[in-house]
């Protein structure tokens, strides 16, 4: 098993899922979720043609940035972001996928203003209504999108979601369908259908996500292998 072979296999599975629903695989952006994998693994994924790398932890990303781990591919932040760490992320990544609260949105806007840039973001949807998870509730999403539109240093490119880890397959698919419906709705209502990014699907469910409208999948284990958490 190599990262290159794994990426080829994931691409084939993406193509097969697209084939089943009449989509073009070129519509799907493959994000390698590279948490807990070192700079060498990131470089291997880039050499093998990964579209984007996505990181979860600010400290790990900062370290790997200093090692030039991401040279040659865009970098996204996909993990939970604390407000006191936005300075280390804004302007360092092409897209922050995980903006899931108004205070965080405001903090990103403020930091981007300070840097005199426009930061691309996704609004994260907490589709399972999980207490411990960040993300806007579906009922709050439109207000959040309007708040972002009123800001001049953030630009909303779409939505991201992580369904509850323990949902069964049918429930998971229903969550994808719900988020897609929200995406289609706000895209038409607020964004003149200019949003292009619906980020959903991971190693265990990216084919279901693609069949239900994902344009971006975030794949870790199926590319980099199992992660070993130190005990
Ligand atoms: C780790 C991670 C992934 C990838 O998870 P796998 O199941 O290993 O593919 C995707 N999205 C986010 C936000 C993650 O933290």
């Amino acid at each position: 098993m190599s990262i290159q072979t794994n990426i080829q296999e994931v691409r084939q599975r993406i193509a097969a899922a697209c084939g089943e629903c009449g989509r073009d695989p070129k519509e799907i952006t493959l994000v390698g979720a590279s948490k807990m994998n070192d700079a060498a693994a990131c470089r291997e994924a880039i050499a093998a043609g990964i579209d984007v790398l996505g990181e979860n932890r600010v400290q790990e990303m900062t370290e790997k940035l200093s090692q030039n781990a991401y040279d040659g591919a865009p970098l996204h932040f996909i993990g939970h972001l604390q407000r006191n760490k936005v300075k280390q992320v804004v302007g360092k990544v092409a897209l922050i996928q995980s903006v899931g609260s108004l205070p965080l949105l405001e903090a990103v806007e403020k930091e981007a203003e300070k840097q005199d840039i426009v930061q691309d973001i996704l609004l994260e949807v907490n589709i399972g209504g999980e207490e411990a998870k960040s993300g806007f509730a579906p009922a709050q999403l439109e207000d959040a999108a309007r708040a972002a539109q009123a800001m001049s240093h953030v630009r909303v490119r779409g939505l991201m979601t992580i369904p509850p880890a323990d949902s069964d397959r049918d429930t998971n698919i229903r969550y994808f369908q719900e988020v897609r419906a929200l995406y289609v709705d706000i895209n038409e209502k607020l964004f003149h259908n200019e949003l292009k990014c619906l980020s959903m699907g991971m190693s265990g469910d990216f084919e279901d996500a693609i069949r239900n409208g994902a344009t971006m999948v975030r794949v870790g284990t199926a590319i980099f292998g199992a992660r070993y958490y130190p005990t």
Side-chain angles (χ1 to χ4, degrees):
M1 164 217 106
S2 75
I3 288 171
Q4 184 184 20
T5 315
N6 290 345
I7 289 176
Q8 284 165 358
E9 275 174 24
V10 169
R11 293 268 192 211
Q12 281 163 9
R13 289 169 57 187
I14 289 173
C18 284
E20 285 167 37
C21 55
R23 298 183 66 189
D24 182 347
K26 290 199 198 75
E27 290 172 29
I28 312 294
T29 300
L30 176 58
V31 180
S34 46
K35 58 174 172 275
M36 303 194 70
N37 286 276
D38 61 12
C42 294
R43 291 191 198 104
E44 221 178 307
I46 293 167
I50 197 86
D51 297 319
V52 172
L53 287 174
E55 287 292 349
N56 280 72
R57 296 182 182 127
V58 174
Q59 194 189 334
E60 181 181 339
M61 183 181 91
T62 304
E63 258 172 57
K64 283 148 82 176
L65 270 171
S66 75
Q67 300 163 352
N68 302 312
Y70 313 110
D71 287 8
L75 174 63
H76 291 181
F77 192 80
I78 62 175
H80 178 67
L81 181 55
Q82 289 166 289
R83 268 180 292 163
N84 61 358
K85 293 193 177 155
V86 295
K87 215 189 321 213
Q88 292 149 269
V89 175
V90 169
K92 301 267 200 300
V93 301
L95 183 68
I96 302 175
Q97 295 202 12
S98 42
V99 177
S101 74
L102 286 176
L104 177 60
L105 177 65
E106 281 155 13
V108 171
E109 162 69 16
K110 210 166 154 193
E111 178 59 29
E113 179 176 22
K114 206 191 269 176
Q115 296 181 23
D116 198 19
I117 61 164
V118 176
Q119 175 67 59
D120 281 344
I121 62 167
L122 302 182
L123 298 175
E124 181 175 352
V125 183
N126 183 355
I127 195 61
E130 293 169 281
E131 283 283 329
K133 198 174 270 177
S134 47
F136 295 102
Q140 301 173 323
L141 187 66
E142 193 178 318
D143 283 348
R146 287 185 195 280
Q149 283 184 314
M151 297 175 175
S152 36
H153 301 86
V154 293
R155 181 167 56 162
V156 177
R157 309 312 303 262
L159 302 182
M160 184 270 237
T161 200
I162 311 170
D166 59 358
S167 36
D168 62 40
R169 185 167 175 219
D170 288 345
T171 309
N172 205 49
I173 289 172
R174 213 179 59 232
Y175 285 138
F176 289 148
Q177 290 167 344
E178 285 172 14
V179 177
R180 180 201 213 165
L182 290 167
Y183 172 76
V184 169
D185 185 51
I186 68 158
N187 205 3
E188 189 179 325
K189 200 161 167 186
L190 299 180
F191 293 95
H192 311 287
N193 287 318
E194 279 163 8
L195 300 182
K196 297 282 177 250
C197 191
L198 179 54
S199 174
M200 55 187 196
M202 317 200 294
S203 291
D205 58 12
F206 66 84
E207 287 128 315
D208 284 336
I210 287 168
R211 285 187 285 260
N212 290 287
T215 68
M216 181 175 276
V217 294
R218 309 174 311 269
V219 179
T221 312
I223 291 175
F224 295 102
R227 294 179 289 270
Y228 296 99
Y229 293 89
T231 50

